[in-house]
Amino acid sequence: MNAATATQSFTPVCSYYLVKQGTPNPFLGYSESSLKRCTRCKGAYYMDGGAQKLQWKIHKKNCKPSSLDTTKMDLDHCTKALKSALYGGSPDLYFIIKRVRGLFDNGADNSDMAAFHLHSIARGLMSLNTSLLLGIVACPYMSSLLFGEEEDLLSTKYRLVKNTKLA
């Protein structure tokens, strides 16, 4: 997966205000207009230039196109890379998460090393602090992955479809 295919599967979400493109938010003064895309990394979206400016200090660290080819990464390598990307920030975070998800969907969840890395990540995320969360959301494509319609892991419909696939 690369940046071109990433943008085909989600509704953009403002990385600062977390408004979804096409969903008006009168409180923030957002109509249904298109969000502006970061011209450098092409993976962050903003309601306006003011929102981009407010988040620039955090976003600039990861504001570059992804250079990692995750298509050939196995689960062990992905989970190791995921831990590093989550805690250190990375323009590759979205692509690593999507690869891990794809591997799990195809039954590649039998690795002890991957289980160890995922357990470590989960334990660390339990004590998530605000600056780490803001850093994750500021990574290219992450606000759309977490708050957009690409995968709504909490919806009843998604859980029903997922459980049906497992049965």
Side-chain angles (χ1 to χ4, degrees):
M1 176 179 283
N2 59 26
T5 57
T7 58
Q8 296 171 359
S9 60
F10 66 79
T11 301
V13 173
C14 175
S15 294
Y16 187 78
Y17 288 113
L18 304 179
V19 295
K20 196 179 301 184
Q21 182 170 293
T23 304
N25 186 324
F27 180 72
L28 293 172
Y30 173 69
S31 64
E32 295 181 29
S33 62
S34 294
L35 296 176
K36 277 101 178 118
R37 190 176 191 182
C38 177
T39 56
R40 187 172 175 199
C41 72
K42 311 247 186 286
Y45 295 82
Y46 296 97
M47 196 171 80
D48 55 29
Q52 185 175 15
K53 195 173 193 176
L54 288 167
Q55 195 185 42
W56 179 245
K57 185 177 180 182
I58 299 169
H59 178 65
K60 70 180 174 181
K61 177 179 172 185
N62 298 303
C63 184
K64 52 189 162 232
S66 175
S67 60
L68 184 66
D69 180 11
T70 59
T71 58
K72 294 179 175 58
M73 291 175 72
D74 65 12
L75 190 57
D76 289 337
H77 288 99
C78 281
T79 54
K80 190 174 181 181
L82 178 60
K83 186 174 183 179
S84 172
L86 275 171
Y87 296 109
S90 171
D92 307 316
L93 180 58
Y94 170 85
F95 300 101
I96 295 166
I97 289 173
K98 293 298 288 180
R99 177 66 178 162
V100 169
R101 178 58 190 263
L103 289 167
F104 275 129
D105 285 350
N106 290 313
D109 58 350
N110 58 353
S111 165
D112 289 338
M113 188 53 79
F116 171 76
H117 285 300
L118 289 172
H119 179 75
S120 298
I121 291 167
R123 285 180 59 94
L125 290 176
M126 288 188 330
S127 61
L128 189 67
N129 62 42
T130 304
S131 62
L132 180 60
L133 179 60
L134 291 174
I136 290 169
V137 173
C139 288
Y141 305 104
M142 287 305 296
S143 59
S144 296
L145 175 68
L146 295 170
F147 305 106
E149 296 171 350
E150 181 177 0
E151 288 190 47
D152 183 358
L153 301 177
L154 302 177
S155 75
T156 306
K157 177 184 171 190
Y158 185 81
R159 287 194 311 263
L160 180 63
V161 170
K162 184 70 175 168
N163 289 336
T164 305
K165 286 180 184 178
L166 296 174

